[in-house]
Amino acid sequence: MAEKSKKMSLTTKIFISLLVGLAVGVIFNLWVPKGYIRDTIIVDGICYVIGNGFIRLMRMLVVPLVFFSLICGAAAIGDTKTLGKVGGKVILLYICTTAVAVTVALSLATVIKPGVGLDMSSIAKSDVSTASQTSMVDTILNIIPENPFNSLSEGTMLQVIVFALIVGILLAKMGERAELIANFCTQCNDLMMEMTNMIMGLAPLGVFCMIMRTFANLGFDAFVPLLKYIGNVILGLGIQCFVVYMIIFFTFTRLSPIKFFRKFFPVMAFAFSTSTSNATIPLNIETLEEKMGVSRRISSFTIPLGATINMDGTAIMQGVAVVFAAQAYGMNLGIQGYLTVIATATLASIGTAGVPSVGLITLTMVFSAVGLPVEAITLIMGVDRILDMLRTAVNITGDAVCTCVVAFQNGDLNKKVFNDMSLVKKDV
């Protein structure tokens, strides 16, 4: 037990790697003379190979992770026919709130400009160019795959998502006739989760090498934009949680948002500490039933579903990260690019599992959709776990708000229980 308690968490390792990489990079930038050993062997040799090797491992995960996760999620949705219109309403709410979250993130990032002042193009090895412009009609048609296997091999993620959703829905519809394939997809999804955990175990080394290389080339120039990025994400999460959600909550239920937060705060705190939406599912359902009067037959469906497809906090991070990277690389996304980000980040959140830091994996998909180099992800990876704690709290709050709205409209929310403030201190 003592050894277990002393074991350093991955979060701590990544954060230490960020700080050490930053310090070593600045030392190299300011005090180590330029030369063959510093530049060719260490900075653009060892650090580049290890850092980009980690990035390649992350990119390797994207297609199979999203594909199998979406199939399993869609199959689970198809199993809930007894809830009828409730399922349709909550899914629509989840998708709409996620789209709003990405829009809020892009709007804030456009104003704050977190990536301005950081010139990443000077250290980028990949080809950096302005995202190609495609007409709206072609953009819509390109979502539909002509050859799904070609889409899978080339990583055309919007097409992969559409194909995965169709497969998942049909698996649910076929039931026992497709049980073998459904079990195979579930096992593949579990395999990808294990592989994600394994590769994330290499994150400290990858973060150290990429951060060290970045600051060795840029010095302190990268520090202020990184702080602006953090502030931008936190502001976006705050607006989504305390403004967007509360407007939705009050508009559709006419109940007090303050009472909601006072009763729901312990669940938010638990989500913050664990950084996983899945771990909060039991506490979330229990709190909604005991303290807010939401019928368990509603919440037992909507909360697990939300932990799978409703990732507004993750979508906000991805929206800010896209603008941050585009500005750092001097790319102009344009209206077409922003619309693509909104669509891709919204759909990507459906395939984001409720486990810590997996949003970074699907972020590579959003970057690829608009032609951004994925190397910029390593710059934000060191601070991402802190932000991950905050956005997990936002994610589960969105699940609860949408559940309350659907339950209220369906007559499955007890107002007396909700308004009883004596239940605030009740242990769940």
Short mmCIF file of all heavy atoms in Angstrom, two decimals, residues 239-275:
data_model
loop_
_atom_site.label_atom_id
_atom_site.label_comp_id
_atom_site.label_asym_id
_atom_site.label_seq_id
_atom_site.Cartn_x
_atom_site.Cartn_y
_atom_site.Cartn_z
N ILE A 239 -17.75 30.17 -19.59
CA ILE A 239 -18.92 30.68 -20.32
C ILE A 239 -19.89 29.55 -20.64
O ILE A 239 -21.10 29.68 -20.48
CB ILE A 239 -18.48 31.41 -21.60
CG1 ILE A 239 -17.76 32.71 -21.25
CG2 ILE A 239 -19.68 31.69 -22.51
CD1 ILE A 239 -17.17 33.44 -22.45
N GLN A 240 -19.34 28.42 -21.09
CA GLN A 240 -20.20 27.28 -21.42
C GLN A 240 -20.97 26.78 -20.20
O GLN A 240 -22.17 26.50 -20.26
CB GLN A 240 -19.36 26.14 -22.01
CG GLN A 240 -20.14 24.92 -22.44
CD GLN A 240 -20.95 25.14 -23.71
OE1 GLN A 240 -20.79 26.15 -24.38
NE2 GLN A 240 -21.82 24.20 -24.04
N CYS A 241 -20.25 26.68 -19.06
CA CYS A 241 -20.84 26.10 -17.86
C CYS A 241 -21.81 27.05 -17.17
O CYS A 241 -22.93 26.65 -16.81
CB CYS A 241 -19.73 25.70 -16.88
SG CYS A 241 -20.30 24.73 -15.47
N PHE A 242 -21.40 28.30 -16.99
CA PHE A 242 -22.18 29.22 -16.15
C PHE A 242 -23.09 30.16 -16.93
O PHE A 242 -23.91 30.86 -16.34
CB PHE A 242 -21.25 30.02 -15.25
CG PHE A 242 -20.45 29.17 -14.32
CD1 PHE A 242 -19.08 29.02 -14.49
CD2 PHE A 242 -21.06 28.48 -13.28
CE1 PHE A 242 -18.34 28.22 -13.64
CE2 PHE A 242 -20.32 27.67 -12.43
CZ PHE A 242 -18.95 27.53 -12.60
N VAL A 243 -22.93 30.20 -18.25
CA VAL A 243 -23.80 31.06 -19.06
C VAL A 243 -24.68 30.22 -19.99
O VAL A 243 -25.90 30.22 -19.88
CB VAL A 243 -22.97 32.09 -19.88
CG1 VAL A 243 -23.90 32.94 -20.75
CG2 VAL A 243 -22.16 32.98 -18.95
N VAL A 244 -24.04 29.47 -20.90
CA VAL A 244 -24.79 28.68 -21.89
C VAL A 244 -25.69 27.65 -21.21
O VAL A 244 -26.89 27.59 -21.48
CB VAL A 244 -23.84 27.99 -22.88
CG1 VAL A 244 -24.62 27.08 -23.83
CG2 VAL A 244 -23.05 29.03 -23.69
N TYR A 245 -25.11 26.84 -20.32
CA TYR A 245 -25.89 25.80 -19.66
C TYR A 245 -27.03 26.37 -18.83
O TYR A 245 -28.15 25.84 -18.83
CB TYR A 245 -25.01 24.94 -18.76
CG TYR A 245 -24.12 23.98 -19.48
CD1 TYR A 245 -22.97 23.47 -18.87
CD2 TYR A 245 -24.40 23.57 -20.78
CE1 TYR A 245 -22.13 22.59 -19.52
CE2 TYR A 245 -23.56 22.68 -21.44
CZ TYR A 245 -22.42 22.20 -20.81
OH TYR A 245 -21.60 21.32 -21.46
N MET A 246 -26.75 27.47 -18.13
CA MET A 246 -27.78 28.02 -17.25
C MET A 246 -28.91 28.69 -18.04
O MET A 246 -30.05 28.69 -17.61
CB MET A 246 -27.13 29.00 -16.27
CG MET A 246 -26.22 28.32 -15.26
SD MET A 246 -27.01 26.95 -14.35
CE MET A 246 -26.49 25.49 -15.29
N ILE A 247 -28.57 29.26 -19.19
CA ILE A 247 -29.62 29.80 -20.06
C ILE A 247 -30.52 28.68 -20.56
O ILE A 247 -31.75 28.77 -20.54
CB ILE A 247 -29.00 30.57 -21.25
CG1 ILE A 247 -28.37 31.88 -20.76
CG2 ILE A 247 -30.07 30.87 -22.31
CD1 ILE A 247 -27.62 32.65 -21.84
N ILE A 248 -29.90 27.59 -21.00
CA ILE A 248 -30.67 26.42 -21.46
C ILE A 248 -31.52 25.86 -20.32
O ILE A 248 -32.71 25.58 -20.49
CB ILE A 248 -29.72 25.34 -22.01
CG1 ILE A 248 -29.04 25.82 -23.29
CG2 ILE A 248 -30.47 24.03 -22.27
CD1 ILE A 248 -27.95 24.90 -23.80
N PHE A 249 -30.90 25.71 -19.16
CA PHE A 249 -31.59 25.14 -18.01
C PHE A 249 -32.82 25.97 -17.61
O PHE A 249 -33.92 25.43 -17.45
CB PHE A 249 -30.62 25.03 -16.82
CG PHE A 249 -31.20 24.36 -15.61
CD1 PHE A 249 -31.26 22.98 -15.54
CD2 PHE A 249 -31.69 25.11 -14.55
CE1 PHE A 249 -31.80 22.35 -14.42
CE2 PHE A 249 -32.23 24.49 -13.43
CZ PHE A 249 -32.27 23.10 -13.37
N PHE A 250 -32.63 27.28 -17.46
CA PHE A 250 -33.74 28.13 -17.02
C PHE A 250 -34.81 28.27 -18.10
O PHE A 250 -36.00 28.28 -17.82
CB PHE A 250 -33.21 29.51 -16.63
CG PHE A 250 -34.28 30.44 -16.14
CD1 PHE A 250 -34.84 30.30 -14.87
CD2 PHE A 250 -34.76 31.46 -16.95
CE1 PHE A 250 -35.84 31.14 -14.42
CE2 PHE A 250 -35.76 32.31 -16.52
CZ PHE A 250 -36.31 32.15 -15.25
N THR A 251 -34.38 28.38 -19.36
CA THR A 251 -35.33 28.56 -20.47
C THR A 251 -36.31 27.40 -20.57
O THR A 251 -37.50 27.59 -20.76
CB THR A 251 -34.58 28.73 -21.80
OG1 THR A 251 -33.72 29.88 -21.72
CG2 THR A 251 -35.55 28.91 -22.96
N PHE A 252 -35.79 26.17 -20.43
CA PHE A 252 -36.63 25.00 -20.65
C PHE A 252 -37.30 24.44 -19.38
O PHE A 252 -38.23 23.64 -19.48
CB PHE A 252 -35.82 23.89 -21.32
CG PHE A 252 -35.47 24.19 -22.75
CD1 PHE A 252 -34.20 24.65 -23.09
CD2 PHE A 252 -36.40 24.02 -23.76
CE1 PHE A 252 -33.87 24.93 -24.41
CE2 PHE A 252 -36.08 24.30 -25.08
CZ PHE A 252 -34.82 24.76 -25.41
N THR A 253 -36.81 24.84 -18.21
CA THR A 253 -37.40 24.29 -16.97
C THR A 253 -37.99 25.34 -16.05
O THR A 253 -38.82 25.02 -15.20
CB THR A 253 -36.34 23.51 -16.17
OG1 THR A 253 -35.33 24.42 -15.68
CG2 THR A 253 -35.67 22.43 -17.02
N ARG A 254 -37.53 26.60 -16.17
CA ARG A 254 -37.94 27.69 -15.28
C ARG A 254 -37.59 27.37 -13.82
O ARG A 254 -38.20 27.90 -12.90
CB ARG A 254 -39.45 27.97 -15.40
CG ARG A 254 -39.87 28.46 -16.78
CD ARG A 254 -39.22 29.78 -17.10
NE ARG A 254 -39.49 30.19 -18.47
CZ ARG A 254 -39.03 31.32 -19.01
NH1 ARG A 254 -38.27 32.13 -18.30
NH2 ARG A 254 -39.31 31.63 -20.27
N LEU A 255 -36.59 26.54 -13.62
CA LEU A 255 -36.10 26.23 -12.28
C LEU A 255 -34.84 27.04 -12.00
O LEU A 255 -34.21 27.57 -12.92
CB LEU A 255 -35.81 24.73 -12.16
CG LEU A 255 -37.02 23.80 -12.33
CD1 LEU A 255 -36.58 22.34 -12.37
CD2 LEU A 255 -38.04 24.01 -11.21
N SER A 256 -34.45 27.12 -10.74
CA SER A 256 -33.33 27.96 -10.33
C SER A 256 -31.97 27.33 -10.68
O SER A 256 -31.64 26.26 -10.16
CB SER A 256 -33.38 28.21 -8.83
OG SER A 256 -32.19 28.82 -8.38
N PRO A 257 -31.17 28.01 -11.50
CA PRO A 257 -29.82 27.51 -11.80
C PRO A 257 -28.93 27.49 -10.56
O PRO A 257 -28.05 26.64 -10.44
CB PRO A 257 -29.29 28.52 -12.82
CG PRO A 257 -30.50 29.15 -13.42
CD PRO A 257 -31.51 29.19 -12.32
N ILE A 258 -29.17 28.42 -9.63
CA ILE A 258 -28.36 28.47 -8.40
C ILE A 258 -28.58 27.21 -7.57
O ILE A 258 -27.64 26.61 -7.05
CB ILE A 258 -28.70 29.73 -7.58
CG1 ILE A 258 -28.30 30.99 -8.37
CG2 ILE A 258 -27.97 29.70 -6.24
CD1 ILE A 258 -28.69 32.29 -7.71
N LYS A 259 -29.85 26.81 -7.44
CA LYS A 259 -30.15 25.57 -6.71
C LYS A 259 -29.52 24.37 -7.40
O LYS A 259 -29.02 23.45 -6.74
CB LYS A 259 -31.67 25.39 -6.60
CG LYS A 259 -32.35 26.38 -5.67
CD LYS A 259 -33.85 26.11 -5.59
CE LYS A 259 -34.52 27.10 -4.64
NZ LYS A 259 -35.99 26.89 -4.58
N PHE A 260 -29.55 24.40 -8.72
CA PHE A 260 -28.93 23.30 -9.47
C PHE A 260 -27.45 23.18 -9.11
O PHE A 260 -26.95 22.09 -8.80
CB PHE A 260 -29.10 23.52 -10.98
CG PHE A 260 -28.31 22.55 -11.82
CD1 PHE A 260 -28.83 21.31 -12.15
CD2 PHE A 260 -27.03 22.87 -12.26
CE1 PHE A 260 -28.09 20.40 -12.91
CE2 PHE A 260 -26.29 21.99 -13.02
CZ PHE A 260 -26.82 20.75 -13.35
N PHE A 261 -26.72 24.30 -9.15
CA PHE A 261 -25.28 24.26 -8.89
C PHE A 261 -24.97 23.89 -7.45
O PHE A 261 -24.01 23.17 -7.18
CB PHE A 261 -24.64 25.61 -9.24
CG PHE A 261 -24.19 25.69 -10.67
CD1 PHE A 261 -24.77 26.61 -11.53
CD2 PHE A 261 -23.22 24.85 -11.16
CE1 PHE A 261 -24.38 26.69 -12.86
CE2 PHE A 261 -22.81 24.92 -12.49
CZ PHE A 261 -23.38 25.84 -13.33
N ARG A 262 -25.77 24.39 -6.51
CA ARG A 262 -25.52 24.07 -5.10
C ARG A 262 -25.67 22.57 -4.84
O ARG A 262 -24.92 21.98 -4.06
CB ARG A 262 -26.48 24.86 -4.21
CG ARG A 262 -26.16 26.34 -4.13
CD ARG A 262 -27.02 27.04 -3.11
NE ARG A 262 -26.79 26.52 -1.76
CZ ARG A 262 -27.52 26.87 -0.71
NH1 ARG A 262 -28.55 27.70 -0.85
NH2 ARG A 262 -27.25 26.36 0.49
N LYS A 263 -26.60 21.93 -5.52
CA LYS A 263 -26.81 20.50 -5.34
C LYS A 263 -25.84 19.66 -6.17
O LYS A 263 -25.49 18.54 -5.79
CB LYS A 263 -28.25 20.14 -5.70
CG LYS A 263 -29.28 20.70 -4.74
CD LYS A 263 -30.68 20.19 -5.05
CE LYS A 263 -31.68 20.66 -3.99
NZ LYS A 263 -33.02 20.05 -4.19
N PHE A 264 -25.42 20.21 -7.29
CA PHE A 264 -24.60 19.42 -8.22
C PHE A 264 -23.10 19.61 -7.99
O PHE A 264 -22.29 18.86 -8.54
CB PHE A 264 -24.95 19.79 -9.66
CG PHE A 264 -24.47 18.80 -10.68
CD1 PHE A 264 -25.04 17.54 -10.77
CD2 PHE A 264 -23.43 19.12 -11.55
CE1 PHE A 264 -24.59 16.61 -11.70
CE2 PHE A 264 -22.98 18.21 -12.48
CZ PHE A 264 -23.57 16.95 -12.56
N PHE A 265 -22.72 20.57 -7.16
CA PHE A 265 -21.30 20.89 -6.97
C PHE A 265 -20.45 19.68 -6.56
O PHE A 265 -19.33 19.51 -7.07
CB PHE A 265 -21.12 22.03 -5.96
CG PHE A 265 -19.69 22.41 -5.74
CD1 PHE A 265 -19.00 23.17 -6.68
CD2 PHE A 265 -19.00 21.96 -4.61
CE1 PHE A 265 -17.67 23.50 -6.49
CE2 PHE A 265 -17.67 22.29 -4.40
CZ PHE A 265 -17.01 23.07 -5.35
N PRO A 266 -20.91 18.81 -5.63
CA PRO A 266 -20.08 17.64 -5.27
C PRO A 266 -19.74 16.74 -6.45
O PRO A 266 -18.64 16.17 -6.51
CB PRO A 266 -20.95 16.90 -4.24
CG PRO A 266 -21.82 17.95 -3.66
CD PRO A 266 -22.12 18.89 -4.80
N VAL A 267 -20.67 16.62 -7.39
CA VAL A 267 -20.41 15.80 -8.58
C VAL A 267 -19.34 16.47 -9.44
O VAL A 267 -18.44 15.81 -9.97
CB VAL A 267 -21.70 15.58 -9.40
CG1 VAL A 267 -21.44 14.59 -10.54
CG2 VAL A 267 -22.82 15.07 -8.51
N MET A 268 -19.42 17.79 -9.57
CA MET A 268 -18.42 18.54 -10.34
C MET A 268 -17.04 18.39 -9.70
O MET A 268 -16.03 18.22 -10.40
CB MET A 268 -18.82 20.01 -10.43
CG MET A 268 -20.11 20.27 -11.18
SD MET A 268 -20.62 22.00 -11.14
CE MET A 268 -19.35 22.76 -12.15
N ALA A 269 -17.00 18.46 -8.38
CA ALA A 269 -15.72 18.32 -7.67
C ALA A 269 -15.13 16.92 -7.86
O ALA A 269 -13.92 16.77 -8.04
CB ALA A 269 -15.92 18.61 -6.18
N PHE A 270 -15.99 15.91 -7.84
CA PHE A 270 -15.53 14.54 -8.05
C PHE A 270 -14.99 14.37 -9.47
O PHE A 270 -13.94 13.75 -9.68
CB PHE A 270 -16.68 13.56 -7.79
CG PHE A 270 -16.29 12.12 -7.93
CD1 PHE A 270 -15.53 11.49 -6.96
CD2 PHE A 270 -16.68 11.39 -9.04
CE1 PHE A 270 -15.16 10.16 -7.08
CE2 PHE A 270 -16.33 10.05 -9.17
CZ PHE A 270 -15.57 9.44 -8.19
N ALA A 271 -15.70 14.94 -10.46
CA ALA A 271 -15.26 14.87 -11.85
C ALA A 271 -13.92 15.58 -12.03
O ALA A 271 -13.03 15.11 -12.74
CB ALA A 271 -16.31 15.47 -12.77
N PHE A 272 -13.78 16.71 -11.35
CA PHE A 272 -12.53 17.48 -11.42
C PHE A 272 -11.36 16.66 -10.89
O PHE A 272 -10.27 16.65 -11.47
CB PHE A 272 -12.68 18.77 -10.60
CG PHE A 272 -11.44 19.62 -10.56
CD1 PHE A 272 -11.16 20.51 -11.59
CD2 PHE A 272 -10.55 19.53 -9.50
CE1 PHE A 272 -10.01 21.29 -11.57
CE2 PHE A 272 -9.40 20.31 -9.46
CZ PHE A 272 -9.14 21.19 -10.50
N SER A 273 -11.58 15.95 -9.80
CA SER A 273 -10.49 15.20 -9.17
C SER A 273 -10.12 13.94 -9.94
O SER A 273 -8.97 13.50 -9.91
CB SER A 273 -10.86 14.84 -7.72
OG SER A 273 -11.98 13.98 -7.71
N THR A 274 -11.09 13.34 -10.63
CA THR A 274 -10.82 12.08 -11.34
C THR A 274 -10.49 12.27 -12.81
O THR A 274 -9.86 11.40 -13.43
CB THR A 274 -12.03 11.13 -11.25
OG1 THR A 274 -13.17 11.76 -11.85
CG2 THR A 274 -12.34 10.79 -9.80
N SER A 275 -10.92 13.39 -13.40
CA SER A 275 -10.69 13.68 -14.82
C SER A 275 -11.29 12.62 -15.73
O SER A 275 -10.78 12.39 -16.83
CB SER A 275 -9.19 13.81 -15.13
OG SER A 275 -8.65 14.91 -14.44
#
